[in-house]
Structures are given as C-alpha cells and as structure tokens.
Amino acid sequence: MTMKHRLPAALLALLLATPLLGPQAHADEASDDIAIANSLAAMLRAGRAVISANQDRINDPALGPKGLDGKTVLSQAVINYRTSTQSDPLATDPASRQGKLLRLEMDAIVSVVDSQQERINQPGVGFKGFIPAVFSRLVGETFTSAAGGSAGMSVTAPANLVRNRRWRPDALESRVISEKFLAPGWHRGQAYTQTTALDAGGKEFRMLMPEYYAASCLTCHGGPKGSIDITGYPREGAAEGDLGGVISIRLSH
Ligand code: HEC
C-alpha cells in the first residue's frame, strides 16, 4: 500500500491499531487464521509422527523405561515441524495469537506424554494402546481446554469409520466430508475453511483438513472388514489412499 499523503506518526499508529474494518482487514484476518490453523495442524502431525516412529519401542514388552518423556517428544516434534513447514515454531512471537496458541499446543504435547509415562514404560506388556490416534485425541483435548474457548482442535473421521464415538463428526464436519472431501473433483488434500458470524457476537473460523490412509494404517484400518485389530476394534476394510480422517480446527474471535 502506498500513502499519497504523509500521516502524522501518531495517527498512523492509531490507524494500524484500529480493530479490523475494511475488506482488506478481513482478508488479512482470514489469512492469519489459515496460517495459524495450518501451524497448529502441522504441530499435531509433527508430534504424532514421533509417536509413530517410536511405536515399535513403545510396544516392546522387553523394554521398561523408554526415555520418551514429554520434553523428548516435543523436541523431536519441533524438528519434524521445522522440516515440514520450513519454519521454527520456537521463533514465533510469544505475544502473537499464533505464538500463544502454538505454545499452548506444545505445552499440551509435553503434558500428554508426561501423563502417559506409566503406560509407555510398563514392562512385560506389548501393545499398550498408546498410538498416534490416542496421542492426537489427548493433545486436542488438552489444547482445547487450555485455550479456554479461543480455539479448539480435534481429529474426526467419516461417520461410518469413527471408532471412538466421542469423535463423531459435527454437522459441519459431516457436511464437508460428504459434500467436499468425498466429492469427485475435490482436490486431494485440499483443506476446507469458513468464517461465520456467531449469533452471540464474534466470529468463528473453521478449518478442516482431510487425511488419507497410508499402507501403514491398514494393519488396523484395512481388511478383512470386521476382523478385530490389535487394539480390539473391528477393521474398517479401508484401502490405501481412502479418506481416513479429518483434522478439525476452530478459532474464535
Ligand atoms: C495400531 C492400530 C492403528 C493404526 C496402525 C492406525 N490406527 Fe487409526 N485408530 C486406531 C484406534 C484404536 C483409534 C481410536 C482411538 C481412540 O480411542 O481415540 C483410531 C482412530 C483414528 C482416527 C480418529 C477417528 C476415530 O475413528 O476415532 C483417525 C482419523 C485415524 N485413526 C486414522 C489413522 C491413520 C490415517 C493411520 C495411519 C497413518 C492410522 N489411523 C493408523 C488404531 C490404529
């Protein structure tokens, strides 16, 4: 933006500090929301990948302490995040909305993993039920409650695939799954976003990001359909590349 007339610095500062007004301001706000939601999702994926990479160790009945405490998982998640986003989560301004929310999420990762130490380190037991989906669910819950209404994060799935009934899709998630993500022509991997004005005042931004089954997911989510997997749930009979889940992020203004 170029200024034709020079504004006194104080007035300029006031203008910049004015609550978002014009169309440009709305566009900036929307792109901020998208950037924040993308970074929250990237951190969830970065943390989940650490659990995934350590799954065999977690499941090893011969190992006691795994050295996989909250701080260790977070430091590996930070490395994964840097690789996937080419940016440093620790360098975000702690006073910014993104910096605050990302730090709440990193704190959630640490506290969730620390809270699971007894389970992770239990000797003599193979499969302990601590898997990426459980990690994601707990991080989402912890983050959402810490954010106190300003943000929310969960992982859901198409209704016919949902294992944990608490994570059944809400009305918007169901509609986006059937009308967008499963529709022919939806660009694979593309997220859905919307901002709506709330009756109670304020606005709510939602971002839903589709996730697809990889070959590694099929030991539990693949076939034969209905057979019981290691976690005790019936397999869905899914194929590699099928829509398997949705990361759902909400930001409130
Ligand atoms: C070891 C078996 C196992 C593997 C491997 C596995 N999952 Fe799951 N998945 C589960 C279980 C069990 C749940 C339910 C967790 C809970 O109680 O919240 C679940 C839940 C989910 C959910 C949340 C919605 C729901 O149904 O509750 C999604 C999405 C998901 N899995 C996707 C994947 C994807 C994508 C992969 C591969 C990258 C994968 N899973 C690999 C067992 C597995």
Side-chain angles (χ1 to χ4, degrees):
M1 189 166 72
T2 55
M3 295 257 177
K4 285 194 181 134
H5 307 287
R6 288 178 62 89
L7 290 170
L11 178 58
L12 183 60
L14 185 69
L15 286 176
L16 291 174
T18 303
L20 304 162
L21 291 170
Q24 184 55 44
H26 286 299
D28 289 349
E29 189 182 65
S31 64
D32 269 5
D33 281 341
I34 291 173
I36 293 171
N38 272 324
S39 72
L40 295 175
M43 182 56 76
L44 187 69
R45 288 175 166 146
R48 194 173 60 181
V50 178
I51 305 307
S52 193
N54 285 281
Q55 193 70 65
D56 289 347
R57 274 168 56 71
I58 295 173
N59 293 358
D60 187 342
L63 288 179
K66 314 281 189 306
L68 207 59
D69 63 2
K71 267 189 164 163
T72 306
V73 169
L74 178 62
S75 66
Q76 291 174 21
V78 166
I79 294 170
N80 290 343
Y81 181 102
R82 286 186 186 129
T83 307
S84 69
T85 68
Q86 302 296 313
S87 67
D88 185 357
L90 304 176
T92 51
D93 176 2
S96 69
R97 239 170 118 231
Q98 179 176 19
K100 281 183 198 151
L101 291 173
L102 207 45
R103 278 172 180 75
L104 282 185
E105 187 180 5
M106 292 191 279
D107 291 348
I109 289 175
V110 172
S111 73
V112 161
V113 175
D114 281 343
S115 76
Q116 298 292 313
Q117 287 303 295
E118 216 177 303
R119 190 179 190 184
I120 292 171
N121 293 330
Q122 193 179 4
V125 176
F127 183 68
K128 303 168 184 68
F130 192 64
I131 58 173
V134 169
F135 166 85
S136 306
R137 166 161 66 80
L138 296 172
V139 169
E141 282 173 350
T142 307
F143 167 81
T144 302
S145 85
S150 67
M153 181 166 61
S154 61
V155 179
T156 183
N160 61 320
L161 299 182
V162 171
R163 293 184 161 208
N164 190 320
R165 292 177 65 77
R166 281 196 62 187
W167 304 117
R168 274 177 297 186
D170 67 14
L172 175 71
E173 291 158 351
S174 292
R175 190 165 58 74
V176 171
I177 287 169
S178 61
E179 294 175 13
K180 310 278 181 200
F181 295 161
L182 291 175
W186 184 259
H187 185 68
R188 199 180 162 76
Q190 191 188 326
Y192 170 89
T193 61
Q194 69 169 36
T195 302
T196 44
L198 300 176
D199 292 344
K203 274 180 285 178
E204 185 182 72
F205 169 83
R206 304 272 313 251
M207 180 184 250
L208 310 185
M209 306 165 103
E211 302 216 285
Y212 304 89
Y213 290 126
S216 66
C217 317
L218 301 182
T219 48
C220 295
H221 295 284
K225 187 174 177 174
S227 61
I228 301 301
D229 74 15
I230 189 176
T231 71
Y233 280 94
R235 293 190 175 87
E236 287 83 357
E240 188 175 349
D242 285 357
L243 180 71
V246 173
I247 297 181
S248 183
I249 291 176
R250 175 180 59 74
L251 302 172
S252 299
H253 293 269

mmCIF file with all atom_site columns, all heavy atoms in Angstrom, residues 156-176:
data_model
loop_
_atom_site.group_PDB
_atom_site.id
_atom_site.type_symbol
_atom_site.label_atom_id
_atom_site.label_alt_id
_atom_site.label_comp_id
_atom_site.label_asym_id
_atom_site.label_entity_id
_atom_site.label_seq_id
_atom_site.pdbx_PDB_ins_code
_atom_site.Cartn_x
_atom_site.Cartn_y
_atom_site.Cartn_z
_atom_site.occupancy
_atom_site.B_iso_or_equiv
_atom_site.pdbx_formal_charge
_atom_site.auth_seq_id
_atom_site.auth_comp_id
_atom_site.auth_asym_id
_atom_site.auth_atom_id
_atom_site.pdbx_PDB_model_num
ATOM 1   N N   . THR A 1 156 ? -11.423 -36.069 13.679 1.00 0.00 ? 156 THR A N   1
ATOM 2   C CA  . THR A 1 156 ? -12.639 -36.841 13.491 1.00 0.00 ? 156 THR A CA  1
ATOM 3   C C   . THR A 1 156 ? -12.475 -37.671 12.220 1.00 0.00 ? 156 THR A C   1
ATOM 4   O O   . THR A 1 156 ? -11.382 -37.783 11.669 1.00 0.00 ? 156 THR A O   1
ATOM 5   C CB  . THR A 1 156 ? -13.871 -35.909 13.444 1.00 0.00 ? 156 THR A CB  1
ATOM 6   O OG1 . THR A 1 156 ? -15.054 -36.705 13.327 1.00 0.00 ? 156 THR A OG1 1
ATOM 7   C CG2 . THR A 1 156 ? -13.800 -34.924 12.298 1.00 0.00 ? 156 THR A CG2 1
ATOM 8   N N   . ALA A 1 157 ? -13.549 -38.296 11.776 1.00 0.00 ? 157 ALA A N   1
ATOM 9   C CA  . ALA A 1 157 ? -13.470 -39.175 10.607 1.00 0.00 ? 157 ALA A CA  1
ATOM 10  C C   . ALA A 1 157 ? -14.870 -39.289 10.012 1.00 0.00 ? 157 ALA A C   1
ATOM 11  O O   . ALA A 1 157 ? -15.850 -38.946 10.673 1.00 0.00 ? 157 ALA A O   1
ATOM 12  C CB  . ALA A 1 157 ? -12.954 -40.555 11.026 1.00 0.00 ? 157 ALA A CB  1
ATOM 13  N N   . PRO A 1 158 ? -14.973 -39.788 8.788  1.00 0.00 ? 158 PRO A N   1
ATOM 14  C CA  . PRO A 1 158 ? -16.305 -40.046 8.241  1.00 0.00 ? 158 PRO A CA  1
ATOM 15  C C   . PRO A 1 158 ? -17.093 -40.902 9.236  1.00 0.00 ? 158 PRO A C   1
ATOM 16  O O   . PRO A 1 158 ? -16.536 -41.826 9.835  1.00 0.00 ? 158 PRO A O   1
ATOM 17  C CB  . PRO A 1 158 ? -16.016 -40.826 6.955  1.00 0.00 ? 158 PRO A CB  1
ATOM 18  C CG  . PRO A 1 158 ? -14.649 -40.349 6.538  1.00 0.00 ? 158 PRO A CG  1
ATOM 19  C CD  . PRO A 1 158 ? -13.904 -40.129 7.833  1.00 0.00 ? 158 PRO A CD  1
ATOM 20  N N   . ALA A 1 159 ? -18.390 -40.588 9.418  1.00 0.00 ? 159 ALA A N   1
ATOM 21  C CA  . ALA A 1 159 ? -19.181 -41.206 10.483 1.00 0.00 ? 159 ALA A CA  1
ATOM 22  C C   . ALA A 1 159 ? -19.112 -42.731 10.467 1.00 0.00 ? 159 ALA A C   1
ATOM 23  O O   . ALA A 1 159 ? -19.049 -43.365 11.520 1.00 0.00 ? 159 ALA A O   1
ATOM 24  C CB  . ALA A 1 159 ? -20.631 -40.738 10.388 1.00 0.00 ? 159 ALA A CB  1
ATOM 25  N N   . ASN A 1 160 ? -19.070 -43.346 9.271  1.00 0.00 ? 160 ASN A N   1
ATOM 26  C CA  . ASN A 1 160 ? -19.053 -44.811 9.216  1.00 0.00 ? 160 ASN A CA  1
ATOM 27  C C   . ASN A 1 160 ? -17.703 -45.389 9.650  1.00 0.00 ? 160 ASN A C   1
ATOM 28  O O   . ASN A 1 160 ? -17.575 -46.587 9.840  1.00 0.00 ? 160 ASN A O   1
ATOM 29  C CB  . ASN A 1 160 ? -19.399 -45.283 7.796  1.00 0.00 ? 160 ASN A CB  1
ATOM 30  C CG  . ASN A 1 160 ? -18.401 -44.786 6.767  1.00 0.00 ? 160 ASN A CG  1
ATOM 31  O OD1 . ASN A 1 160 ? -17.950 -43.640 6.833  1.00 0.00 ? 160 ASN A OD1 1
ATOM 32  N ND2 . ASN A 1 160 ? -18.034 -45.638 5.828  1.00 0.00 ? 160 ASN A ND2 1
ATOM 33  N N   . LEU A 1 161 ? -16.689 -44.525 9.791  1.00 0.00 ? 161 LEU A N   1
ATOM 34  C CA  . LEU A 1 161 ? -15.366 -45.019 10.178 1.00 0.00 ? 161 LEU A CA  1
ATOM 35  C C   . LEU A 1 161 ? -15.004 -44.707 11.623 1.00 0.00 ? 161 LEU A C   1
ATOM 36  O O   . LEU A 1 161 ? -14.033 -45.251 12.140 1.00 0.00 ? 161 LEU A O   1
ATOM 37  C CB  . LEU A 1 161 ? -14.280 -44.378 9.288  1.00 0.00 ? 161 LEU A CB  1
ATOM 38  C CG  . LEU A 1 161 ? -14.343 -44.647 7.789  1.00 0.00 ? 161 LEU A CG  1
ATOM 39  C CD1 . LEU A 1 161 ? -13.163 -43.968 7.099  1.00 0.00 ? 161 LEU A CD1 1
ATOM 40  C CD2 . LEU A 1 161 ? -14.318 -46.151 7.502  1.00 0.00 ? 161 LEU A CD2 1
ATOM 41  N N   . VAL A 1 162 ? -15.771 -43.829 12.252 1.00 0.00 ? 162 VAL A N   1
ATOM 42  C CA  . VAL A 1 162 ? -15.351 -43.367 13.577 1.00 0.00 ? 162 VAL A CA  1
ATOM 43  C C   . VAL A 1 162 ? -15.317 -44.513 14.585 1.00 0.00 ? 162 VAL A C   1
ATOM 44  O O   . VAL A 1 162 ? -16.300 -45.236 14.747 1.00 0.00 ? 162 VAL A O   1
ATOM 45  C CB  . VAL A 1 162 ? -16.272 -42.252 14.099 1.00 0.00 ? 162 VAL A CB  1
ATOM 46  C CG1 . VAL A 1 162 ? -15.957 -41.937 15.545 1.00 0.00 ? 162 VAL A CG1 1
ATOM 47  C CG2 . VAL A 1 162 ? -16.094 -41.004 13.262 1.00 0.00 ? 162 VAL A CG2 1
ATOM 48  N N   . ARG A 1 163 ? -14.176 -44.661 15.217 1.00 0.00 ? 163 ARG A N   1
ATOM 49  C CA  . ARG A 1 163 ? -14.026 -45.715 16.217 1.00 0.00 ? 163 ARG A CA  1
ATOM 50  C C   . ARG A 1 163 ? -14.444 -45.210 17.579 1.00 0.00 ? 163 ARG A C   1
ATOM 51  O O   . ARG A 1 163 ? -15.214 -45.850 18.279 1.00 0.00 ? 163 ARG A O   1
ATOM 52  C CB  . ARG A 1 163 ? -12.568 -46.167 16.259 1.00 0.00 ? 163 ARG A CB  1
ATOM 53  C CG  . ARG A 1 163 ? -12.153 -46.859 14.993 1.00 0.00 ? 163 ARG A CG  1
ATOM 54  C CD  . ARG A 1 163 ? -10.741 -47.383 15.081 1.00 0.00 ? 163 ARG A CD  1
ATOM 55  N NE  . ARG A 1 163 ? -10.533 -48.405 14.065 1.00 0.00 ? 163 ARG A NE  1
ATOM 56  C CZ  . ARG A 1 163 ? -9.677  -49.390 14.173 1.00 0.00 ? 163 ARG A CZ  1
ATOM 57  N NH1 . ARG A 1 163 ? -8.912  -49.487 15.245 1.00 0.00 ? 163 ARG A NH1 1
ATOM 58  N NH2 . ARG A 1 163 ? -9.561  -50.278 13.223 1.00 0.00 ? 163 ARG A NH2 1
ATOM 59  N N   . ASN A 1 164 ? -13.890 -44.092 17.932 1.00 0.00 ? 164 ASN A N   1
ATOM 60  C CA  . ASN A 1 164 ? -14.200 -43.521 19.230 1.00 0.00 ? 164 ASN A CA  1
ATOM 61  C C   . ASN A 1 164 ? -15.388 -42.580 19.050 1.00 0.00 ? 164 ASN A C   1
ATOM 62  O O   . ASN A 1 164 ? -15.268 -41.519 18.447 1.00 0.00 ? 164 ASN A O   1
ATOM 63  C CB  . ASN A 1 164 ? -12.974 -42.758 19.734 1.00 0.00 ? 164 ASN A CB  1
ATOM 64  C CG  . ASN A 1 164 ? -13.130 -42.333 21.173 1.00 0.00 ? 164 ASN A CG  1
ATOM 65  O OD1 . ASN A 1 164 ? -14.194 -41.916 21.588 1.00 0.00 ? 164 ASN A OD1 1
ATOM 66  N ND2 . ASN A 1 164 ? -12.056 -42.450 21.929 1.00 0.00 ? 164 ASN A ND2 1
ATOM 67  N N   . ARG A 1 165 ? -16.532 -42.992 19.604 1.00 0.00 ? 165 ARG A N   1
ATOM 68  C CA  . ARG A 1 165 ? -17.773 -42.264 19.303 1.00 0.00 ? 165 ARG A CA  1
ATOM 69  C C   . ARG A 1 165 ? -17.761 -40.820 19.757 1.00 0.00 ? 165 ARG A C   1
ATOM 70  O O   . ARG A 1 165 ? -18.520 -40.011 19.252 1.00 0.00 ? 165 ARG A O   1
ATOM 71  C CB  . ARG A 1 165 ? -18.966 -43.021 19.899 1.00 0.00 ? 165 ARG A CB  1
ATOM 72  C CG  . ARG A 1 165 ? -19.194 -44.348 19.182 1.00 0.00 ? 165 ARG A CG  1
ATOM 73  C CD  . ARG A 1 165 ? -20.315 -45.162 19.788 1.00 0.00 ? 165 ARG A CD  1
ATOM 74  N NE  . ARG A 1 165 ? -21.617 -44.523 19.654 1.00 0.00 ? 165 ARG A NE  1
ATOM 75  C CZ  . ARG A 1 165 ? -22.325 -44.504 18.536 1.00 0.00 ? 165 ARG A CZ  1
ATOM 76  N NH1 . ARG A 1 165 ? -21.847 -45.060 17.444 1.00 0.00 ? 165 ARG A NH1 1
ATOM 77  N NH2 . ARG A 1 165 ? -23.509 -43.922 18.507 1.00 0.00 ? 165 ARG A NH2 1
ATOM 78  N N   . ARG A 1 166 ? -16.863 -40.508 20.679 1.00 0.00 ? 166 ARG A N   1
ATOM 79  C CA  . ARG A 1 166 ? -16.755 -39.107 21.100 1.00 0.00 ? 166 ARG A CA  1
ATOM 80  C C   . ARG A 1 166 ? -16.333 -38.218 19.943 1.00 0.00 ? 166 ARG A C   1
ATOM 81  O O   . ARG A 1 166 ? -16.514 -37.016 19.974 1.00 0.00 ? 166 ARG A O   1
ATOM 82  C CB  . ARG A 1 166 ? -15.716 -38.969 22.217 1.00 0.00 ? 166 ARG A CB  1
ATOM 83  C CG  . ARG A 1 166 ? -16.255 -39.374 23.542 1.00 0.00 ? 166 ARG A CG  1
ATOM 84  C CD  . ARG A 1 166 ? -15.377 -38.877 24.650 1.00 0.00 ? 166 ARG A CD  1
ATOM 85  N NE  . ARG A 1 166 ? -15.283 -37.421 24.689 1.00 0.00 ? 166 ARG A NE  1
ATOM 86  C CZ  . ARG A 1 166 ? -14.463 -36.770 25.492 1.00 0.00 ? 166 ARG A CZ  1
ATOM 87  N NH1 . ARG A 1 166 ? -13.661 -37.434 26.277 1.00 0.00 ? 166 ARG A NH1 1
ATOM 88  N NH2 . ARG A 1 166 ? -14.444 -35.459 25.497 1.00 0.00 ? 166 ARG A NH2 1
ATOM 89  N N   . TRP A 1 167 ? -15.701 -38.813 18.955 1.00 0.00 ? 167 TRP A N   1
ATOM 90  C CA  . TRP A 1 167 ? -15.156 -38.011 17.858 1.00 0.00 ? 167 TRP A CA  1
ATOM 91  C C   . TRP A 1 167 ? -16.001 -38.091 16.605 1.00 0.00 ? 167 TRP A C   1
ATOM 92  O O   . TRP A 1 167 ? -15.528 -37.851 15.506 1.00 0.00 ? 167 TRP A O   1
ATOM 93  C CB  . TRP A 1 167 ? -13.691 -38.399 17.578 1.00 0.00 ? 167 TRP A CB  1
ATOM 94  C CG  . TRP A 1 167 ? -12.970 -38.225 18.842 1.00 0.00 ? 167 TRP A CG  1
ATOM 95  C CD1 . TRP A 1 167 ? -12.352 -39.190 19.573 1.00 0.00 ? 167 TRP A CD1 1
ATOM 96  C CD2 . TRP A 1 167 ? -12.883 -37.014 19.615 1.00 0.00 ? 167 TRP A CD2 1
ATOM 97  N NE1 . TRP A 1 167 ? -11.890 -38.657 20.749 1.00 0.00 ? 167 TRP A NE1 1
ATOM 98  C CE2 . TRP A 1 167 ? -12.204 -37.328 20.797 1.00 0.00 ? 167 TRP A CE2 1
ATOM 99  C CE3 . TRP A 1 167 ? -13.341 -35.706 19.432 1.00 0.00 ? 167 TRP A CE3 1
ATOM 100 C CZ2 . TRP A 1 167 ? -11.951 -36.374 21.784 1.00 0.00 ? 167 TRP A CZ2 1
ATOM 101 C CZ3 . TRP A 1 167 ? -13.096 -34.764 20.420 1.00 0.00 ? 167 TRP A CZ3 1
ATOM 102 C CH2 . TRP A 1 167 ? -12.398 -35.105 21.565 1.00 0.00 ? 167 TRP A CH2 1
ATOM 103 N N   . ARG A 1 168 ? -17.291 -38.410 16.804 1.00 0.00 ? 168 ARG A N   1
ATOM 104 C CA  . ARG A 1 168 ? -18.191 -38.363 15.656 1.00 0.00 ? 168 ARG A CA  1
ATOM 105 C C   . ARG A 1 168 ? -18.176 -36.959 15.075 1.00 0.00 ? 168 ARG A C   1
ATOM 106 O O   . ARG A 1 168 ? -18.100 -35.973 15.815 1.00 0.00 ? 168 ARG A O   1
ATOM 107 C CB  . ARG A 1 168 ? -19.624 -38.726 16.082 1.00 0.00 ? 168 ARG A CB  1
ATOM 108 C CG  . ARG A 1 168 ? -19.831 -40.230 16.072 1.00 0.00 ? 168 ARG A CG  1
ATOM 109 C CD  . ARG A 1 168 ? -21.191 -40.586 16.547 1.00 0.00 ? 168 ARG A CD  1
ATOM 110 N NE  . ARG A 1 168 ? -21.350 -40.163 17.940 1.00 0.00 ? 168 ARG A NE  1
ATOM 111 C CZ  . ARG A 1 168 ? -22.409 -40.450 18.677 1.00 0.00 ? 168 ARG A CZ  1
ATOM 112 N NH1 . ARG A 1 168 ? -23.409 -41.140 18.175 1.00 0.00 ? 168 ARG A NH1 1
ATOM 113 N NH2 . ARG A 1 168 ? -22.488 -40.058 19.929 1.00 0.00 ? 168 ARG A NH2 1
ATOM 114 N N   . PRO A 1 169 ? -18.260 -36.847 13.745 1.00 0.00 ? 169 PRO A N   1
ATOM 115 C CA  . PRO A 1 169 ? -18.218 -35.522 13.138 1.00 0.00 ? 169 PRO A CA  1
ATOM 116 C C   . PRO A 1 169 ? -19.432 -34.684 13.541 1.00 0.00 ? 169 PRO A C   1
ATOM 117 O O   . PRO A 1 169 ? -20.527 -35.219 13.701 1.00 0.00 ? 169 PRO A O   1
ATOM 118 C CB  . PRO A 1 169 ? -18.237 -35.820 11.627 1.00 0.00 ? 169 PRO A CB  1
ATOM 119 C CG  . PRO A 1 169 ? -18.741 -37.216 11.499 1.00 0.00 ? 169 PRO A CG  1
ATOM 120 C CD  . PRO A 1 169 ? -18.383 -37.933 12.756 1.00 0.00 ? 169 PRO A CD  1
ATOM 121 N N   . ASP A 1 170 ? -19.240 -33.375 13.710 1.00 0.00 ? 170 ASP A N   1
ATOM 122 C CA  . ASP A 1 170 ? -20.375 -32.490 13.966 1.00 0.00 ? 170 ASP A CA  1
ATOM 123 C C   . ASP A 1 170 ? -21.042 -32.168 12.626 1.00 0.00 ? 170 ASP A C   1
ATOM 124 O O   . ASP A 1 170 ? -20.654 -32.702 11.582 1.00 0.00 ? 170 ASP A O   1
ATOM 125 C CB  . ASP A 1 170 ? -19.934 -31.234 14.741 1.00 0.00 ? 170 ASP A CB  1
ATOM 126 C CG  . ASP A 1 170 ? -19.025 -30.309 13.933 1.00 0.00 ? 170 ASP A CG  1
ATOM 127 O OD1 . ASP A 1 170 ? -18.931 -30.473 12.690 1.00 0.00 ? 170 ASP A OD1 1
ATOM 128 O OD2 . ASP A 1 170 ? -18.410 -29.406 14.535 1.00 0.00 ? 170 ASP A OD2 1
ATOM 129 N N   . ALA A 1 171 ? -22.057 -31.302 12.665 1.00 0.00 ? 171 ALA A N   1
ATOM 130 C CA  . ALA A 1 171 ? -22.844 -31.051 11.456 1.00 0.00 ? 171 ALA A CA  1
ATOM 131 C C   . ALA A 1 171 ? -21.964 -30.539 10.310 1.00 0.00 ? 171 ALA A C   1
ATOM 132 O O   . ALA A 1 171 ? -22.055 -31.022 9.177  1.00 0.00 ? 171 ALA A O   1
ATOM 133 C CB  . ALA A 1 171 ? -23.964 -30.052 11.766 1.00 0.00 ? 171 ALA A CB  1
ATOM 134 N N   . LEU A 1 172 ? -21.104 -29.580 10.613 1.00 0.00 ? 172 LEU A N   1
ATOM 135 C CA  . LEU A 1 172 ? -20.262 -29.024 9.550  1.00 0.00 ? 172 LEU A CA  1
ATOM 136 C C   . LEU A 1 172 ? -19.288 -30.091 9.030  1.00 0.00 ? 172 LEU A C   1
ATOM 137 O O   . LEU A 1 172 ? -19.115 -30.263 7.823  1.00 0.00 ? 172 LEU A O   1
ATOM 138 C CB  . LEU A 1 172 ? -19.468 -27.809 10.054 1.00 0.00 ? 172 LEU A CB  1
ATOM 139 C CG  . LEU A 1 172 ? -18.484 -27.266 9.013  1.00 0.00 ? 172 LEU A CG  1
ATOM 140 C CD1 . LEU A 1 172 ? -19.227 -26.589 7.866  1.00 0.00 ? 172 LEU A CD1 1
ATOM 141 C CD2 . LEU A 1 172 ? -17.472 -26.316 9.637  1.00 0.00 ? 172 LEU A CD2 1
ATOM 142 N N   . GLU A 1 173 ? -18.667 -30.808 9.956  1.00 0.00 ? 173 GLU A N   1
ATOM 143 C CA  . GLU A 1 173 ? -17.691 -31.820 9.539  1.00 0.00 ? 173 GLU A CA  1
ATOM 144 C C   . GLU A 1 173 ? -18.351 -32.880 8.657  1.00 0.00 ? 173 GLU A C   1
ATOM 145 O O   . GLU A 1 173 ? -17.788 -33.274 7.627  1.00 0.00 ? 173 GLU A O   1
ATOM 146 C CB  . GLU A 1 173 ? -17.044 -32.455 10.783 1.00 0.00 ? 173 GLU A CB  1
ATOM 147 C CG  . GLU A 1 173 ? -16.137 -31.481 11.537 1.00 0.00 ? 173 GLU A CG  1
ATOM 148 C CD  . GLU A 1 173 ? -15.896 -31.829 13.000 1.00 0.00 ? 173 GLU A CD  1
ATOM 149 O OE1 . GLU A 1 173 ? -16.554 -32.746 13.535 1.00 0.00 ? 173 GLU A OE1 1
ATOM 150 O OE2 . GLU A 1 173 ? -15.058 -31.149 13.635 1.00 0.00 ? 173 GLU A OE2 1
ATOM 151 N N   . SER A 1 174 ? -19.555 -33.326 9.040  1.00 0.00 ? 174 SER A N   1
ATOM 152 C CA  . SER A 1 174 ? -20.259 -34.324 8.227  1.00 0.00 ? 174 SER A CA  1
ATOM 153 C C   . SER A 1 174 ? -20.543 -33.809 6.829  1.00 0.00 ? 174 SER A C   1
ATOM 154 O O   . SER A 1 174 ? -20.365 -34.515 5.837  1.00 0.00 ? 174 SER A O   1
ATOM 155 C CB  . SER A 1 174 ? -21.614 -34.679 8.839  1.00 0.00 ? 174 SER A CB  1
ATOM 156 O OG  . SER A 1 174 ? -21.440 -35.356 10.021 1.00 0.00 ? 174 SER A OG  1
ATOM 157 N N   . ARG A 1 175 ? -21.008 -32.564 6.788  1.00 0.00 ? 175 ARG A N   1
ATOM 158 C CA  . ARG A 1 175 ? -21.375 -31.989 5.500  1.00 0.00 ? 175 ARG A CA  1
ATOM 159 C C   . ARG A 1 175 ? -20.136 -31.830 4.612  1.00 0.00 ? 175 ARG A C   1
ATOM 160 O O   . ARG A 1 175 ? -20.154 -32.171 3.434  1.00 0.00 ? 175 ARG A O   1
ATOM 161 C CB  . ARG A 1 175 ? -22.045 -30.625 5.735  1.00 0.00 ? 175 ARG A CB  1
ATOM 162 C CG  . ARG A 1 175 ? -22.693 -30.028 4.527  1.00 0.00 ? 175 ARG A CG  1
ATOM 163 C CD  . ARG A 1 175 ? -23.629 -28.875 4.902  1.00 0.00 ? 175 ARG A CD  1
ATOM 164 N NE  . ARG A 1 175 ? -22.988 -27.787 5.630  1.00 0.00 ? 175 ARG A NE  1
ATOM 165 C CZ  . ARG A 1 175 ? -22.169 -26.908 5.061  1.00 0.00 ? 175 ARG A CZ  1
ATOM 166 N NH1 . ARG A 1 175 ? -21.870 -26.975 3.782  1.00 0.00 ? 175 ARG A NH1 1
ATOM 167 N NH2 . ARG A 1 175 ? -21.631 -25.943 5.794  1.00 0.00 ? 175 ARG A NH2 1
ATOM 168 N N   . VAL A 1 176 ? -19.048 -31.346 5.198  1.00 0.00 ? 176 VAL A N   1
ATOM 169 C CA  . VAL A 1 176 ? -17.833 -31.133 4.398  1.00 0.00 ? 176 VAL A CA  1
ATOM 170 C C   . VAL A 1 176 ? -17.258 -32.478 3.945  1.00 0.00 ? 176 VAL A C   1
ATOM 171 O O   . VAL A 1 176 ? -16.792 -32.617 2.812  1.00 0.00 ? 176 VAL A O   1
ATOM 172 C CB  . VAL A 1 176 ? -16.799 -30.304 5.191  1.00 0.00 ? 176 VAL A CB  1
ATOM 173 C CG1 . VAL A 1 176 ? -15.458 -30.260 4.477  1.00 0.00 ? 176 VAL A CG1 1
ATOM 174 C CG2 . VAL A 1 176 ? -17.334 -28.880 5.399  1.00 0.00 ? 176 VAL A CG2 1
#
